[in-house]
Amino acid sequence: MNKPVFTVGERVEKLCVVCNEVRGHVVVSVTKRGQVSRVSCPKCGERSAFKSGTPADENAKRSAAKAGAPYDRTRTYRTGQAMMHPTFGLGEVTKVIEPCKIDVLFADRIRRLIHSTPASE
Ligand SMILES: [Zn+2]
């Protein structure tokens, strides 16, 4: 079987190390044989090398989807996204209030968190 041939601009599922989340990445470059070599995360703009079908990617994909990535205020969250907060535990984003604020439902109650804010100090 031949491997699938990709073209620039297509979407591929990949774990973004910056977002710490699996999402559709935009293919930005392919090899002469049509293999994806570099992809760009549509959310954070991070460009990274793409290795298709590596076990590491598969494992990361599964664990990220199951447990929810650690809460990181520099990330941009969206409704329905899961996270693991160091204090409150597992939570799910119920609403994006404004560009930098989200409501997150934890085991006890909804808490308002900041997100999408640049890292400082
Ligand atoms: Zn990203």
Side-chain angles (χ1 to χ4, degrees):
M1 276 258 303
N2 288 330
K3 295 200 167 180
V5 174
F6 293 91
T7 55
V8 171
E10 272 192 272
R11 296 284 181 129
V12 291
E13 287 285 304
K14 183 186 181 298
L15 177 75
C16 175
V17 294
V18 175
C19 299
N20 197 19
E21 175 179 281
V22 174
R23 72 168 83 254
H25 280 60
V26 180
V27 177
V28 292
S29 72
V30 294
T31 67
K32 282 171 185 169
R33 284 181 297 173
Q35 297 297 297
V36 179
S37 57
R38 291 186 78 76
V39 294
S40 168
C41 175
K43 203 112 195 189
C44 67
E46 174 76 5
R47 291 191 176 200
S48 50
F50 182 84
K51 293 185 181 72
S52 60
T54 60
D57 269 0
E58 284 305 306
N59 289 336
K61 189 174 178 174
R62 264 185 228 114
S63 60
K66 199 189 294 173
Y71 168 62
D72 179 352
R73 68 190 181 91
T74 64
R75 287 180 51 181
T76 299
Y77 290 92
R78 62 172 189 274
T79 304
Q81 207 168 339
M83 68 169 72
M84 183 59 75
H85 193 281
T87 307
F88 309 132
L90 186 65
E92 185 184 316
V93 180
T94 56
K95 196 193 285 182
V96 177
I97 311 293
E98 45 185 275
C100 294
K101 284 180 189 160
I102 47 173
D103 272 353
V104 182
L105 177 64
F106 291 102
D108 53 349
R109 66 181 177 87
I110 290 176
R111 292 166 198 277
R112 191 153 295 178
L113 301 178
I114 56 171
H115 77 138
S116 197
T117 54
S120 60
E121 277 128 294

